C-alpha cells in the first residue's frame, strides 16, 4: 500500500457518546474515513499514524439525512465510518494528541 494513500484514508476521529461507550466497553476507536476506503487501508493507516497494533476493522456506510433549508429540500452527503478494534494493551488518546 502506498503511504500517500494511507495518509488520506483517515479523515477524523468520531467523538460522541456512542463512540466513548464503544471505546470503554469493546476497546474500539471510531474514525470517519474516505468513502472509497477498504479495511486493509484503514488498518494500515491507523498502524502507521498512531503506532498501535490493530486486531480488526469493521466498516459502516452512513446514509446522509434529508434536511429542509427554508422551502427547499436538501440532502447531506453519505459518509463512511470505521470501527477499529485495537490489540489488548493498545490505546489511542486524542486529548494528548494521539499515540499511546
Amino acid at each position: 500500500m502506498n503511504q500517500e494513500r494511507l495518509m488520506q484514508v483517515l479523515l477524523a476521529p468520531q467523538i460522541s457518546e456512542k463512540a466513548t461507550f464503544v471505546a470503554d466497553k469493546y476497546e474500539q476507536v471510531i474514525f470517519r474515513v474516505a468513502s472509497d476506503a477498504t479495511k486493509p487501508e484503514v488498518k494500515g493507516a491507523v498502524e502507521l499514524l498512531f503506532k498501535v497494533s490493530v486486531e480488526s476493522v469493521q466498516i459502516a456506510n452512513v446514509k446522509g439525512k434529508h434536511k429542509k433549508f427554508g422551502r427547499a429540500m436538501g440532502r447531506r452527503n453519505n459518509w463512511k465510518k470505521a470501527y477499529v478494534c485495537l490489540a489488548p494493551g493498545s490505546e489511542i488518546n486524542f486529548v494528548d494528541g494521539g499515540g499511546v
Side-chain angles (χ1 to χ4, degrees):
M1 281 180 267
N2 188 359
Q3 277 198 332
E4 286 182 29
R5 169 66 181 156
L6 293 180
M7 298 296 271
Q8 297 171 351
V9 168
L10 297 180
L11 301 178
Q14 193 69 23
I15 307 296
S16 64
E17 283 186 45
K18 182 178 179 181
T20 306
F21 175 76
V22 167
D24 291 340
K25 188 168 183 181
Y26 301 109
E27 296 178 4
Q28 291 181 338
V29 183
I30 302 175
F31 289 99
R32 181 174 241 166
V33 296
S35 60
D36 59 344
T38 62
K39 288 181 180 184
E41 287 177 339
V42 172
K43 180 178 179 179
V46 171
E47 289 177 345
L48 175 70
L49 291 173
F50 297 105
K51 308 290 189 272
V52 294
S53 56
V54 174
E55 280 191 356
S56 64
V57 176
Q58 292 85 33
I59 291 184
N61 289 315
V62 180
K63 301 296 180 190
K65 294 181 178 180
H66 291 278
K67 290 289 187 176
K68 196 175 206 178
F69 302 103
R71 292 187 205 145
M73 282 298 291
R75 188 167 184 277
R76 290 187 181 167
N77 292 332
N78 298 335
W79 55 283
K80 191 179 268 193
K81 67 179 171 181
Y83 292 84
V84 178
C85 184
L86 301 175
S90 298
E91 180 179 293
I92 298 175
N93 191 352
F94 295 112
V95 176
D96 296 335
V100 181

